[in-house]
Amino acid sequence: MSILVPKRRVSVPVQVGNITIGGTAPVVVQSMTNTDTADIEATAQQTFELWQAGSEIVRITVNNKEAAKAVPYIRDRLVTLGWQDPIIVGDFHYIGHQLLQEFPDCAKALAKYRINPGNVGFGEKHDKNFASMIEMAIKYDKPVRIGVNWGSLDQDLLARLMDENAQLADPKPTHEIAKRALIDSAILSAKAAEAIGLPRNKIILSCKLSRVPELIDVHLALAAECDYALHVGLTEAGMGSKGIVSTTAALSVLLDKGIGDTIRASLTPEPGGDRKLEVEVCQQILQSLGMRAFSPMVTACPGCGRTTSTVFQTLAQTIQQHIRLKLPVWKKAYPGVENLQLAVMGCVVNGPGESKHADIGISLPGTGEAPAAPVFIDGSKYTILRGDTIAQDFIEIVERYVQEKYTVA
């Protein structure tokens, strides 16, 4: 079965460590730690866990001397833990120019620098500090993400655009000028970096906003006006379902239009919550759009009055847990297993049809139906399961299928 994959916008590819961002490369998933970077062990551990979860790039805050000193040790610790080529990005604000100059080991250990042109300084200091950071990137051959943020926009640029707008016979609404300032800040900063000597293939842009419609508007314009690689994310997306839904809505619209070379879900974790959720959300978005595959997909019906039994729910949950447990082993032993499609359905209405569309599907009996569960493999009926061992029997069928289909000859 063919899947309509969104046509990608053409952008200049950027090499970040051993990963390519932009061009024809797959959309890259990234995330960010929320530990105190000066705490080497805590930051290295969280970074490693995010990488294990599928974050191909991990950003860390470098906000003071203690954090800058810790960066090379964090990188070394990641190698010890098992990430042989760690791609960690330094998030700099306010004093990044000082830290990169004062701590060359930090500058060397990072795979990329993130610069926010809205807080590198004001007036004459702005251009001087920005140039200093770009020069350090050139010196150590590092790419740079120029990340403009709705909440920390370059006030000098915004004021100038507001003044120009006020002189017009028909001034535009203030929020339109703010969006224009975001785009101009990103593109003008990129051009300034190029003028200093940073190659075009070392520049990634981002414009972060916290509202879905504005984020989409800004990126449609940004993508039309430049060919720099773009990092896309809804900033301060929020907590729980609100953050997940808002992020999915924004990123899906843009990715469907081919916009976005690397993405992040900026979710507020629940107290004590798992930071890895933002990685999972990004992966699910890309896999749902047919752009990348990270894990076997399980289609399961929502249930209705025909399925008052919880058998199919329990089986769907058991299958999901089994996949999560086995996936690290499967990926090493069975290349391509992440493309596996499974279906766990609750009754005869859609069960057989959905099961036939999956690689492996099972249609469990609904309320009042015969206690039999037909299993379909590659569109054809394979067997019928009965009794109290349906879950285990189905898992054994899945295991055999994986071994037979994905073993490399």
Side-chain angles (χ1 to χ4, degrees):
M1 180 179 66
S2 64
I3 298 176
L4 293 177
V5 178
K7 184 178 180 180
R8 292 282 300 282
R9 158 187 173 267
V10 178
S11 61
V12 177
V14 178
Q15 196 67 31
V16 182
N18 58 5
I19 289 178
T20 301
I21 294 176
T24 59
V27 177
V28 174
V29 173
Q30 65 174 272
S31 58
M32 185 176 184
T33 60
N34 60 357
T35 57
D36 179 358
T37 305
D39 187 334
I40 296 170
E41 187 57 34
T43 303
Q45 188 60 45
Q46 188 179 76
T47 300
F48 184 70
E49 290 172 358
L50 289 168
W51 173 69
Q52 282 189 310
S55 182
E56 293 150 304
I57 296 174
V58 180
R59 185 158 48 110
I60 63 176
T61 297
V62 187
N63 59 331
N64 53 41
K65 293 183 178 182
E66 290 73 22
K69 289 178 184 176
V71 168
Y73 296 100
I74 292 169
R75 190 188 188 285
D76 291 344
R77 180 65 179 135
L78 288 170
V79 173
T80 301
L81 288 170
W83 191 0
Q84 294 305 311
D85 297 299
I87 303 178
I88 50 176
V89 176
D91 193 55
F92 293 100
H93 298 280
Y94 307 111
I95 60 170
H97 58 291
Q98 297 174 8
L99 296 176
L100 285 171
Q101 288 182 347
E102 189 173 345
F103 299 96
D105 287 343
C106 167
K108 295 174 186 176
L110 293 168
K112 178 163 66 88
Y113 309 153
R114 191 270 183 156
I115 304 173
N116 184 339
N119 56 32
V120 295
F122 303 97
E124 294 181 358
K125 288 185 177 180
H126 176 281
D127 293 346
K128 180 180 178 182
N129 294 348
F130 179 81
S132 174
M133 296 186 75
I134 296 300
E135 287 164 359
M136 294 300 289
I138 295 170
K139 179 178 180 179
Y140 294 111
D141 193 29
K142 304 292 183 179
V144 168
R145 170 156 74 93
I146 297 173
V148 184
N149 197 291
W150 185 257
S152 52
L153 187 56
D154 184 335
Q155 294 302 302
D156 289 340
L157 173 62
L158 179 60
R160 177 171 61 79
L161 292 179
M162 287 292 187
D163 288 343
E164 292 174 357
N165 184 60
Q167 304 303 315
L168 298 176
D170 185 19
K172 297 179 180 178
T174 300
H175 70 277
E176 292 295 330
I177 303 305
K179 288 192 290 186
R180 186 69 247 174
L182 279 165
I183 298 165
D184 285 357
S185 178
I187 294 178
L188 291 174
S189 296
K191 292 186 179 302
E194 286 193 73
I196 295 167
L198 188 68
R200 197 175 191 79
N201 65 354
K202 293 286 186 181
I203 299 173
I204 298 169
L205 299 187
S206 70
C207 288
K208 294 289 194 74
L209 298 92
S210 58
R211 297 174 185 170
V212 174
E214 283 87 349
L215 184 81
I216 293 171
D217 286 348
V218 164
H219 280 80
L220 290 175
L222 184 64
E225 294 179 29
C226 74
D227 62 357
Y228 296 106
L230 299 181
H231 169 75
V232 180
L234 186 74
T235 192
E236 290 99 29
M239 182 181 288
S241 60
K242 185 271 178 186
I244 294 173
V245 171
S246 296
T247 295
T248 303
L251 267 59
S252 295
V253 169
L254 292 172
L255 290 168
D256 189 60
K257 295 180 181 297
I259 298 170
D261 300 295
T262 170
I263 62 173
R264 181 194 171 201
S266 299
L267 305 178
T268 303
E270 303 282 352
D274 195 337
R275 191 70 166 179
K276 298 192 291 293
L277 177 61
E278 62 179 49
V279 180
E280 181 181 338
V281 169
C282 286
Q283 290 180 329
Q284 290 286 357
I285 291 170
L286 292 173
Q287 188 147 350
S288 296
L289 291 172
M291 300 183 73
R292 292 188 66 179
F294 299 94
S295 174
M297 294 285 281
V298 180
T299 298
C301 71
C304 65
R306 297 179 57 86
T307 58
T308 53
S309 167
T310 60
V311 174
F312 85 95
Q313 297 166 322
T314 302
L315 179 57
Q317 183 181 53
T318 300
I319 290 295
Q320 294 272 30
Q321 291 172 344
H322 184 77
I323 289 172
R324 280 195 291 269
L325 180 66
K326 298 299 292 287
L327 191 57
V329 176
W330 280 357
K331 278 193 170 183
K332 291 179 181 179
Y334 308 116
V337 71
E338 61 274 10
N339 295 294
L340 178 66
Q341 301 284 322
L342 304 174
V344 179
M345 304 302 292
C347 79
V348 298
V349 174
N350 293 318
E354 283 285 359
S355 296
K356 290 176 182 178
H357 289 308
D359 295 313
I360 311 174
I362 184 170
S363 179
L364 292 160
T367 304
E369 293 168 6
V375 175
F376 298 83
I377 294 182
D378 294 330
S380 300
K381 183 183 283 188
Y382 172 74
T383 189
I384 295 177
L385 301 180
R386 294 182 174 88
D388 298 330
T389 61
I390 287 178
Q392 186 57 43
D393 293 343
F394 185 66
I395 286 175
E396 290 176 2
I397 291 172
V398 171
E399 285 282 0
R400 285 198 301 271
Y401 184 90
V402 168
Q403 293 172 14
E404 293 171 2
K405 181 170 182 176
Y406 297 104
T407 295
V408 178

